[in-house]
Coordinates of all heavy atoms in Angstrom, one line a residue:
Q746 N 30.7 93.7 -141.2 CA 31.4 95.0 -141.3 C 32.1 95.1 -142.5 O 32.1 96.2 -143.2 CB 32.3 95.2 -140.1 CG 32.8 96.7 -139.9 CD 33.7 96.9 -138.8 OE1 34.9 96.9 -138.8 NE2 33.0 96.9 -137.6
G747 N 32.8 94.1 -143.0 CA 33.5 94.1 -144.2 C 32.7 94.3 -145.4 O 33.0 95.0 -146.4
I748 N 31.5 93.6 -145.4 CA 30.5 93.8 -146.5 C 30.0 95.3 -146.6 O 30.0 95.9 -147.6 CB 29.3 92.9 -146.3 CG1 29.8 91.4 -146.4 CG2 28.2 93.2 -147.3 CD1 28.7 90.4 -146.1
I750 N 31.6 98.0 -145.4 CA 32.7 99.0 -145.8 C 32.9 98.8 -147.3 O 33.2 99.8 -148.0 CB 34.0 98.7 -145.0 CG1 33.7 99.0 -143.5 CG2 35.1 99.4 -145.5 CD1 34.9 98.7 -142.6
G751 N 33.0 97.5 -147.8 CA 33.2 97.4 -149.2 C 32.2 98.0 -150.1 O 32.6 98.6 -151.1
L752 N 30.9 97.9 -149.7 CA 29.9 98.6 -150.5 C 30.0 100.2 -150.4 O 29.8 100.8 -151.4 CB 28.5 98.1 -150.0 CG 28.2 96.7 -150.3 CD1 26.8 96.3 -149.7 CD2 28.1 96.5 -151.8
V754 N 32.7 101.9 -150.0 CA 33.8 102.4 -150.8 C 33.5 102.2 -152.3 O 33.9 103.0 -153.1 CB 35.2 101.6 -150.4 CG1 36.3 102.0 -151.3 CG2 35.5 101.9 -148.9
L813 N 39.1 90.3 -140.8 CA 38.0 89.8 -141.6 C 37.4 91.0 -142.4 O 37.0 90.8 -143.6 CB 37.0 89.1 -140.8 CG 37.5 87.7 -140.2 CD1 36.4 87.1 -139.3 CD2 37.8 86.8 -141.3
S814 N 37.2 92.1 -141.8 CA 36.6 93.3 -142.3 C 37.4 93.7 -143.6 O 36.9 94.0 -144.6 CB 36.4 94.4 -141.3 OG 36.0 95.6 -142.0
T815 N 38.7 93.8 -143.4 CA 39.6 94.2 -144.5 C 39.6 93.2 -145.6 O 39.4 93.6 -146.8 CB 41.1 94.3 -144.0 OG1 41.1 95.2 -142.9 CG2 42.0 94.8 -145.1
K816 N 39.6 91.9 -145.3 CA 39.5 90.9 -146.4 C 38.2 90.9 -147.2 O 38.2 90.8 -148.4 CB 39.8 89.5 -145.8 CG 41.2 89.2 -145.3 CD 42.1 89.3 -146.5 CE 43.6 89.1 -146.0 NZ 44.5 89.2 -147.2
L817 N 37.0 91.0 -146.5 CA 35.7 91.0 -147.1 C 35.6 92.3 -148.0 O 35.1 92.2 -149.1 CB 34.7 90.9 -146.1 CG 34.1 89.5 -145.8 CD1 33.3 89.1 -147.0 CD2 35.1 88.5 -145.5
S818 N 36.0 93.4 -147.5 CA 35.8 94.7 -148.2 C 36.7 94.6 -149.5 O 36.3 95.1 -150.5 CB 36.2 95.9 -147.3 OG 37.5 95.8 -146.8
E819 N 37.9 94.1 -149.3 CA 38.8 93.9 -150.5 C 38.1 93.0 -151.6 O 38.2 93.3 -152.8 CB 40.1 93.3 -150.1 CG 41.1 93.2 -151.2 CD 42.4 92.5 -150.8 OE1 42.5 92.1 -149.6 OE2 43.3 92.5 -151.6
M820 N 37.5 91.9 -151.2 CA 36.9 91.0 -152.1 C 35.7 91.7 -152.9 O 35.6 91.6 -154.1 CB 36.3 89.8 -151.4 CG 37.3 88.8 -150.9 SD 36.5 87.4 -150.1 CE 37.9 86.5 -149.6
I821 N 35.0 92.6 -152.2 CA 33.9 93.3 -152.8 C 34.5 94.4 -153.7 O 33.8 94.6 -154.9 CB 33.0 94.0 -151.7 CG1 32.3 92.9 -150.9 CG2 32.1 95.0 -152.3 CD1 31.5 93.5 -149.7
L822 N 35.6 94.9 -153.5 CA 36.1 95.9 -154.4 C 36.8 95.4 -155.6 O 36.6 95.9 -156.6 CB 37.2 96.7 -153.5 CG 36.6 97.7 -152.5 CD1 37.8 98.3 -151.7 CD2 35.9 98.8 -153.2
V823 N 37.6 94.3 -155.4 CA 38.4 93.8 -156.6 C 37.7 92.5 -157.1 O 38.1 92.0 -158.2 CB 39.8 93.5 -156.2 CG1 40.5 94.7 -155.7 CG2 39.9 92.3 -155.2

Side-chain angles (χ1 to χ4, degrees):
Q746 191 177 103
I748 293 172
I750 293 173
L752 290 175
V754 177
L813 290 175
S814 175
T815 302
K816 289 298 181 183
L817 262 293
S818 58
E819 181 185 7
M820 286 182 185
I821 290 175
L822 287 174
V823 304

